[in-house]
Amino acid sequence: MISIEGLSKTFKANKKNITAVDGMTLDIKEGEIFGVIGYSGAGKSTFVRLLNRLEEPTGGRIVIDDQEITALNSKQLRLARQEMGMIFQHFNLLWSRTVKDNIAFPLEIAGFPKMEREARVQELIDLVGLSGRENAYPSQLSGGQKQRVGIARALANNPKVLLCDEATSALDPETTNSILDLLVDINQKLGLTIILITHEMHVIRKICNQVAVMEQGKIVEQGDVLDVFLQPKQQVTKKFVEQIMGTNEDDSVALLIDTYDEGKIVQLHFLGETTNQALISHVARKFAIDINILQGKITQTQRGAYGTLFVQLSGDDREIENAVNFIHNETSVEVEVIRDAN
């Protein structure tokens, strides 16, 4: 669906060249929700604006649905942009226009007849949950309602791709979740490919299928969201995962080792359906050991749940070893020994 090869963007500032996007190569499948995450200055917003050439690339190629966007002239680009909707952090609504007139604006530019515009606008108002607010002005709307207008406007021309640049950053957590649920609903109903730019791992975790982590203009890590959560490789990715888990794992492990100075400490990794297994009680019944649950958390992603659990195993060394081997060999739960029995 989307193929990006060697994409780069260099700005000149204070007589110096600043590289915002540095040789990015990326493939995004049709119909998936693809997240791009990075801290401020990583180049992620520049990247998404390069996709529809709101920023002109310094180098590289962008191909969307077999059309090379980077090779289009101005007239061709205007037509191609009709198939790429975009929503922004600060909504970018026309404050002198009502909800329905904001949504109709791109249809007016595209030359749709009035009756077609009105029918399409009403369809979109129903889709984004704004029925009854058609004649309200932006100043009369909440932040979440404004973003729903922005989403409806971005969908007006039936785009194939929806670009979301920090679309929930200005919203409170509850409203953020409602907008994310709406994006998932749109993705499923319309089969729309969504590229979502954010600095919040909660957003990636909740709705994305794939994620790319950006730092200093480059993709430093990429993969299935669940895989990246389970085994983050780069330090920047580990920091983002800590946003969800609520603790620095290295610090947490060290604290557990210092606090519990007896027995074997192991970390269990649960994935998908294994999060619902009664593993602890089963192992406790099967082996003559004591099991003390020290710390744990389960988190949901689009591909399923994953969780980690730290437990202390006490008792006969051979029985402990048998229990660990049982978990490792006879279940789908991953087990990692943090500290051997003393």
Side-chain angles (χ1 to χ4, degrees):
M1 173 62 175
I2 300 175
S3 178
I4 300 159
E5 300 176 11
L7 186 65
S8 61
K9 176 65 179 181
T10 301
F11 296 97
K12 189 173 285 291
N14 298 324
K15 298 181 180 181
K16 294 182 179 180
N17 288 330
I18 307 296
T19 300
V21 176
D22 190 359
M24 181 183 291
T25 295
L26 190 63
D27 288 312
I28 298 172
K29 296 178 182 177
E30 182 176 3
E32 76 178 359
I33 304 178
F34 193 100
V36 179
I37 191 168
Y39 288 110
S40 179
K44 57 191 187 297
S45 289
T46 301
F47 159 68
V48 78
R49 291 169 66 86
L50 290 171
L51 293 180
N52 57 9
R53 283 176 55 188
L54 289 178
E55 294 283 356
E56 286 293 337
T58 305
R61 295 173 72 245
I62 301 168
V63 178
I64 299 178
D65 202 22
D66 297 324
Q67 185 175 44
E68 187 175 347
I69 302 300
T70 38
L72 302 180
N73 61 35
S74 297
K75 182 179 179 181
Q76 292 169 329
L77 181 59
R78 282 196 297 273
L79 293 174
R81 281 176 176 162
Q82 292 181 11
E83 297 188 339
M84 291 184 279
M86 188 166 187
I87 56 177
F88 305 87
Q89 178 180 358
H90 297 296
F91 321 125
N92 287 10
L93 302 181
L94 299 170
W95 292 85
S96 61
R97 283 178 168 246
T98 61
V99 166
K100 64 181 181 181
D101 290 338
N102 262 285
I103 298 171
F105 186 60
L107 298 173
E108 293 174 21
I109 294 174
F112 279 75
K114 184 177 180 181
M115 289 187 65
E116 286 187 34
R117 290 202 308 265
E118 290 178 349
R120 177 62 176 157
V121 167
Q122 190 57 53
E123 179 184 343
L124 290 166
I125 285 173
D126 294 340
L127 177 66
V128 301
L130 285 175
S131 299
R133 303 296 284 161
E134 295 91 335
N135 297 311
Y137 288 89
S139 61
Q140 300 171 308
L141 302 176
S142 67
Q145 289 172 330
K146 290 172 188 172
Q147 195 56 285
R148 288 173 185 268
V149 177
I151 292 170
R153 181 184 59 187
L155 298 176
N157 282 314
N158 285 305
K160 297 176 181 177
V161 178
L162 182 62
L163 308 176
C164 307
D165 187 9
E166 298 280 10
T168 60
S169 295
L171 305 175
D172 62 73
E174 183 176 351
T175 306
T176 290
N177 284 331
S178 70
I179 294 297
L180 295 178
D181 289 340
L182 175 60
L183 290 175
V184 171
D185 186 53
I186 289 169
N187 168 258
Q188 294 173 347
K189 286 181 178 177
L190 306 181
L192 202 61
T193 304
I194 298 177
I195 300 176
L196 193 148
I197 305 299
T198 185
H199 65 274
E200 300 171 298
M201 202 61 173
H202 161 73
V203 172
I204 299 291
R205 186 266 302 173
K206 185 172 176 65
I207 72 168
C208 293
N209 312 115
Q210 295 278 317
V211 61
V213 183
M214 284 191 71
E215 187 176 32
Q216 296 181 343
K218 296 178 180 289
I219 294 177
V220 297
E221 192 161 350
Q222 179 189 345
D224 182 281
V225 169
L226 194 52
D227 293 338
V228 171
F229 263 82
L230 287 172
Q231 296 179 322
K233 296 178 177 61
Q234 301 298 320
Q235 189 60 39
V236 64
T237 313
K238 292 177 181 179
K239 288 182 179 179
F240 280 123
V241 172
E242 287 166 16
Q243 290 181 4
I244 299 298
M245 302 309 290
T247 183
N248 181 302
E249 188 171 293
D250 291 340
D251 292 344
S252 177
V253 169
L255 181 61
L256 291 176
I257 291 173
D258 289 343
T259 304
Y260 300 93
D261 55 2
E262 294 182 357
K264 185 189 291 281
I265 297 178
V266 300
Q267 183 177 12
L268 305 177
H269 296 277
F270 299 83
L271 180 61
E273 294 181 359
T274 64
T275 54
N276 297 320
Q277 292 180 1
L279 177 69
I280 300 300
S281 59
H282 181 64
V283 172
R285 289 195 301 268
K286 189 175 181 66
F287 300 95
I289 60 173
D290 293 323
I291 304 176
N292 182 22
I293 297 175
L294 307 180
Q295 178 178 296
K297 186 166 186 176
I298 294 176
T299 300
Q300 294 290 333
T301 74
Q302 277 293 298
R303 211 184 91 189
Y306 81 93
T308 59
L309 191 67
F310 289 91
V311 298
Q312 179 187 32
L313 308 178
S314 302
D316 180 77
D317 288 348
R318 180 172 293 181
E319 278 292 278
I320 292 174
E321 194 64 31
N322 289 338
V324 171
N325 289 335
F326 170 79
I327 296 170
H328 179 73
N329 297 319
E330 303 296 331
T331 77
S332 56
V333 175
E334 294 182 15
V335 58
E336 178 185 356
V337 177
I338 302 300
R339 188 196 63 200
D340 275 315
N342 295 329

